[in-house]
Amino acid sequence: MTDMGLVVVGAGGRMGRTLIRIIHETDGVTLVGAVEREGAETLGTDAGILAGLPPAGVAVTDDPLPVFARADGVLDFTSPAATLAFAEIAAQARIVHVVGTTGLSADDEAAIDAAARHAIIVKSGNMSLGVNLLAVLVRQAARALDPSFDIEILEMHHRHKVDAPSGTALLLGKAAADGREVSLAEASVRVRDGHTGPRPEGAIGFATLRGGSVAGDHSVLFAGEGETITLSHHAADRAIFARGAVKAALWARGRKPGRYSMADVLGLS
Ligand SMILES: NC(=O)C1=CN([C@@H]2O[C@H](COP(=O)(O)OP(=O)(O)OC[C@H]3O[C@@H](n4cnc5c(N)ncnc54)[C@H](OP(=O)(O)O)[C@@H]3O)[C@@H](O)[C@H]2O)C=CC1
Ligand SMILES: O=C(O)C1=N[C@H](C(=O)O)C[C@H](O)C1
């Protein structure tokens, strides 16, 4: 089979540059387009140079239409508004859309579901193997432990991150809620401040730290009487997310339209 032609949108971002590097290192995929927003400083720059590589012969553009038309898939780690716009164009072009963007609202998620009626979308709050395996373990632990074990999810990310809790924290919260057979929306406590009163039994709590250059640290604590079990993941490099995204694109090529997750890609669902 010929190489899968991939477009990176948000090419100048932290993940965009990492994706360009990982595509360069991976057999079976070729970079065919790099997109940034109108007015971005990177427009016209060679995408290889942008990622610290030799020239790739692909100039960064602000017009997604012609590049999507010649691609097999798009890797999208941008912003919620941009992702919704790219979902429409990817659906029209009938190409695979891998979405790593986090911070989408419930309405945004419904728009992604609607696009997935015609498009092949793989979306996950975390594209790494480790976090998706962690989610399986969290679901098992939550199922095995009774509600006297309080579940708390702690995450830390770099100072530039704009959404909280992280997409990963929410993915892990969903795994815990599924294990307990409760609704995350009803059980979650996302903010605590002031005189909060005692902890409600069965709550799934979230705590958010921001600082420095941390690529992504997540822990799920099961705190019981006299003992605490902690399940954790540490991302040492953004390459783990980019490798997962490329794997997802290759897995999705030629599949039926629909919305898929990284658990589907990794055979963990
Ligand atoms: N699922 C996963 O495994 C992972 C998800 N993420 C998520 O990916 C997203 C991006 O993260 P990160 O790379 O750190 O963020 P950055 O801000 O570094 O990168 C986002 C890039 O997208 C660009 N962009 C925004 N809007 C558009 C648009 N309309 N057209 C083209 N480009 C656009 C931004 O441009 P500008 O700066 O001009 O706005 C920027 O270059 C976040 O939501 C993050 O949470 C990150 C890592 C892993
Ligand atoms: O913004 C980031 O950097 C990351 N975002 C994702 C999230 O919100 O969980 C994944 C990863 O942790 C890095």
Side-chain angles (χ1 to χ4, degrees):
M1 200 188 266
T2 54
D3 269 14
M4 185 172 189
L6 295 175
V7 177
V8 174
V9 292
R14 283 174 288 276
M15 278 304 298
R17 290 170 204 242
T18 311
L19 287 160
I20 292 166
R21 187 164 56 78
I22 295 302
I23 291 170
H24 176 77
E25 289 172 6
T26 307
D27 289 338
V29 288
T30 302
L31 183 74
V32 296
V35 176
E36 258 300 336
R37 72 158 87 238
E38 209 181 316
E41 277 179 14
T42 50
L43 293 180
T45 309
D46 183 277
I49 302 289
L50 191 63
L53 300 167
V58 171
V60 177
T61 174
D62 60 4
D63 185 359
L65 292 176
V67 283
F68 279 37
R70 62 171 178 265
D72 302 301
V74 54
L75 307 182
D76 177 353
F77 291 66
T78 55
S79 67
T83 290
L84 293 193
F86 290 133
E88 275 190 28
I89 309 172
Q92 281 161 18
R94 302 253 182 274
I95 60 175
V96 170
H97 188 191
V98 176
V99 179
T101 309
T102 58
L104 278 74
S105 67
D107 285 350
D108 296 340
E109 292 290 352
I112 295 287
D113 286 338
R117 287 204 285 270
H118 308 286
I120 309 150
I121 299 180
V122 184
K123 182 174 180 298
S124 175
N126 196 300
M127 298 277 171
S128 74
L129 169 64
V131 159
N132 285 281
L133 180 60
L134 178 66
V136 173
L137 300 176
V138 166
R139 191 177 305 116
Q140 284 176 355
R143 185 172 295 134
L145 298 167
D146 68 48
S148 72
F149 280 81
D150 298 324
I151 303 178
E152 291 285 313
I153 300 173
L154 174 65
E155 57 114 332
M156 180 158 186
H157 283 88
H158 53 93
R159 62 169 70 98
H160 306 286
K161 187 161 177 63
V162 294
D163 55 308
S166 69
T168 310
L170 294 171
L171 179 158
L172 295 170
K174 174 80 170 59
D178 288 350
R180 278 210 170 150
E181 298 183 10
V182 298
S183 145
L184 179 62
E186 283 167 24
S188 70
V189 174
R190 288 167 61 151
V191 179
R192 294 186 182 107
D193 187 27
H195 187 86
T196 61
R199 188 183 197 285
E201 191 179 78
I204 297 177
F206 290 85
T208 299
L209 306 179
R210 293 285 176 265
S213 59
V214 176
D217 288 346
H218 293 88
S219 293
V220 181
L221 291 85
F222 296 85
E225 281 299 325
E227 58 181 339
T228 298
I229 300 151
T230 306
L231 300 174
S232 296
H233 181 265
H234 165 68
D237 190 319
R238 286 188 179 84
I240 61 171
F241 312 128
R243 282 194 208 101
V246 170
K247 186 184 266 248
L250 286 166
W251 176 89
R253 190 181 197 184
R255 282 189 194 264
K256 284 192 305 195
R259 179 168 173 163
Y260 302 95
S261 69
M262 265 325 268
D264 297 323
V265 174
L266 298 168
L268 296 170
S269 46

